[in-house]
């Protein structure tokens, strides 16, 4: 069964360092997302990506964050200068269709980021 | 304001009991989608069901059933004859037509099934 894969599964970094989280979405999907979940809290939307550009982003997704799909396969989330509050589980998701045929999000297993 | 409210933070049941997880949503759209996801202790998010706003028919899948009622803006999830493997955090989510494909998740209900 096709799945979304994410690397690394866990990354520990020092505050102020740059971090890149990688995702390989399901191959025939067109819409890609990053969500995050601070420990014990709800899953929060960060950004959606379609046709090689950001289609929506939340207030959380400030100038410290960026996304790209450099090679048509990987979908990356970069945090330029990590802060303590960036510590969270980051989920990549992909989706086949968009409104009005909104399909379910398929999530990866998450990348746990710990900022010290 | 919360678009998705899961008032039950934690629920514990004894194995084989039935349990209902509540979800109340808020939207002004006439077209929207509702979802349930399961997050087991391993951390991944597993899709369980999708419902669109025009389909109020209740659905049953094995021990799982869902009750969608637009009149009360609720999309409740019932597990019949619960098992230890059902222990997880369950999230309800909403996707609205006017906000595109952004999913709004509830805060989750942590279900513990005691053997």
């Amino acid at each position: 069964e096709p799945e979304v894969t994410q690397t690394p599964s866990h990354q520990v970094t020092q505050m102020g360092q740059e971090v890149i989280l990688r995702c390989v979405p399901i191959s025939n999907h067109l819409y890609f997302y990053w969500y995050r979940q601070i420990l014990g809290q709800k899953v929060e939307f960060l950004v959606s990506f379609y046709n090689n550009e950001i289609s929506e982003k939340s207030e959380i997704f400030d100038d410290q964050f960026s996304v790209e799909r450099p090679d048509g396969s990987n979908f990356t989330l970069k945090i330029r200068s990590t802060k303590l509050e960036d510590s969270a589980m980051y989920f990549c998701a992909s989706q086949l269709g968009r409104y009005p045929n909104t399909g379910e999000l398929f999530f990866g297993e998450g990348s746990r980021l710990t900022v010290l | 304001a919360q678009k998705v409210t899961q008032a039950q933070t934690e629920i514990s049941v004894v194995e084989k009991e039935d349990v209902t997880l509540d979800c109340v949503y808020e939207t002004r759209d006439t077209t929207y989608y509702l979802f349930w996801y399961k997050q087991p202790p391993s951390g991944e998010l597993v899709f369980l069901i999708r419902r669109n706003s025009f389909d109020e028919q209740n659905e049953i899948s094995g021990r799982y059933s869902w009750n969608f009622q637009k009149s009360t803006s609720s999309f409740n999830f019932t597990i019949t004859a619960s098992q230890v493997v059902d222990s997880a955090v369950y999230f309800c989510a909403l996707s609205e037509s006017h906000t595109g494909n952004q999913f709004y998740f509830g805060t989750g209900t942590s279900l513990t099934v005691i053997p």
Side-chain angles (χ1 to χ4, degrees):
Chain A
E1 184 176 314
E3 60 180 15
V4 177
T5 57
Q6 291 186 239
T7 54
S9 57
H10 188 194
Q11 182 157 355
V12 180
T13 190
Q14 295 290 324
M15 192 168 57
Q17 294 296 305
E18 176 182 284
V19 162
I20 297 177
L21 306 179
R22 293 181 169 79
C23 169
V24 179
I26 295 173
S27 61
N28 63 334
H29 284 192
L30 300 177
Y31 300 91
F32 315 113
Y33 303 83
W34 284 101
Y35 282 76
R36 80 170 186 190
Q37 184 184 30
I38 295 172
L39 187 62
Q41 299 186 23
K42 68 178 178 182
V43 180
E44 300 175 293
F45 169 76
L46 291 179
V47 65
S48 61
F49 193 84
Y50 169 71
N51 200 26
N52 283 322
E53 60 182 24
I54 292 173
S55 49
E56 297 168 79
K57 59 182 181 179
S58 72
E59 294 175 352
I60 303 169
F61 195 87
D62 61 22
D63 292 344
Q64 291 299 312
F65 291 89
S66 62
V67 290
E68 64 176 2
R69 198 156 186 247
D71 56 10
S73 174
N74 291 287
F75 177 50
T76 62
L77 174 68
K78 181 193 290 186
I79 309 175
R80 287 188 184 80
S81 178
T82 51
K83 303 187 285 286
L84 295 176
E85 53 265 38
D86 293 328
S87 295
M89 180 76 92
Y90 288 81
F91 289 102
C92 174
S94 71
Q95 185 179 40
L96 178 61
R98 186 181 171 92
Y99 173 80
N101 297 308
T102 299
E104 61 269 28
L105 293 178
F106 289 86
F107 285 89
E109 294 191 346
S111 293
R112 181 167 297 286
L113 176 64
T114 302
V115 182
L116 303 176
Chain B
Q2 292 286 340
K3 285 185 178 288
V4 179
T5 300
Q6 294 179 255
Q8 305 149 306
T9 306
E10 296 181 4
I11 300 177
S12 292
V13 297
V14 176
E15 199 170 23
K16 298 184 183 177
E17 287 184 347
D18 299 347
V19 59
T20 296
L21 310 181
D22 297 334
C23 174
V24 174
Y25 62 92
E26 180 181 332
T27 181
R28 294 180 180 176
D29 285 10
T30 55
T31 303
Y32 52 89
Y33 292 82
L34 295 163
F35 302 80
W36 276 95
Y37 282 83
K38 174 182 180 180
Q39 186 175 42
S42 49
E44 71 270 27
L45 288 163
V46 179
F47 165 78
L48 295 178
I49 190 172
R50 175 187 67 173
R51 240 328 165 242
N52 74 55
S53 52
F54 297 108
D55 182 3
E56 286 193 75
Q57 190 172 13
N58 291 331
E59 181 160 338
I60 297 174
S61 176
R63 296 185 297 106
Y64 294 171
S65 62
W66 290 269
N67 182 4
F68 177 27
Q69 292 194 346
K70 290 179 74 171
S71 60
T72 56
S73 297
S74 65
F75 185 44
N76 297 337
F77 172 31
T78 297
I79 302 174
T80 304
S82 59
Q83 299 175 1
V84 173
V85 293
D86 296 327
S87 296
V89 180
Y90 291 86
F91 290 96
C92 181
L94 165 72
S95 177
E96 301 170 297
S97 58
H98 86 277
T99 55
N101 274 7
Q102 181 178 156
F103 278 40
Y104 297 94
F105 283 81
T107 50
T109 297
S110 177
L111 173 66
T112 300
V113 181
I114 303 165

